[in-house]
Amino acid sequence: FISFTTTTNSMASLVHLAAPALLLCPLHVTKRGPCARSSRFTSSPTMAASAPALANFEQLRFLTRDTALEIAQEFGSPVFVYDESTLKAQAASALEFPHAYGLTVRFAMKALPNAAVLQTFDRMGLHVDASSSYEVRRAIAAGVEAERISLSSQELAHDLDDLLSLGIKFNACSLRQLRAFGELRPGSRGIQLGLRFNPGLGSGGTGKTNVGGPSSSFGIWHELMPQVQELLKEFDLEPARVHTHIGSGSDP
């Protein structure tokens, strides 16, 4: 599958005004419900003092200075504002990726686990890539069906049995995780189990985004294939897919 990750540089702009509270509220997605405050935020000397600094904070991409101040007055600050149209355009671009054998686009939710954003992508047909059991629970709480969530985690989920029962897809990222899955689901067939491998090489925009090769701990080292095959035989497992991720930010 293809995963794409959002960052504040490419997918959203950030309005960050000085004040004690934190609020996540995507612009155009919702101004009520969990994102809204029960009382309105009024202007203060602190707000007035911060206004001149706003002009030099960053070049706003989709907000004007006045709109930013109006949002801060209504919701308090700091407040994070995401451009829904940009998020949708990026998602649509990923969904149009050329493919000959089928395509499942997954949003790496660790980039932006805001419920409104998850719901927006879910309505567009994107699936979710989760990197912890807690992210799985968060996505489900946002309304994403478990069958549309894939878990690839460095740590063995403490509630793996429950998550598998919900219907998530699971990529075993270590021999320990593969054994744990086998003990929980011996004889497993179907689409639930995948194997994540480190192919022995990586590529990234920087060394920090290179997640393949000898210096990376992500995935089962490719030379451990014999041990993988032994575990598959021991627990009578048939994995449905091979997962690998060599890095981010490089030329595909």
Side-chain angles (χ1 to χ4, degrees), residues 120-180:
T120 297
F121 286 154
D122 185 59
R123 288 192 295 268
M124 295 183 68
L126 272 66
H127 293 216
V128 167
D129 173 69
S131 60
S132 72
S133 60
Y134 304 102
E135 286 188 356
V136 172
R137 300 288 186 181
R138 187 181 182 101
I140 292 174
V144 180
E145 295 181 2
E147 292 80 5
R148 297 165 68 90
I149 302 171
S150 176
L151 173 63
S152 304
S153 177
Q154 287 291 87
E155 296 184 358
L156 178 62
H158 66 281
D159 54 350
L160 181 60
D161 192 17
D162 293 338
L163 298 180
L164 293 174
S165 297
L166 291 173
I168 69 161
K169 294 177 177 63
F170 172 72
N171 292 318
C173 298
S174 66
L175 296 177
R176 178 180 176 231
Q177 290 187 17
L178 180 56
R179 174 172 290 278

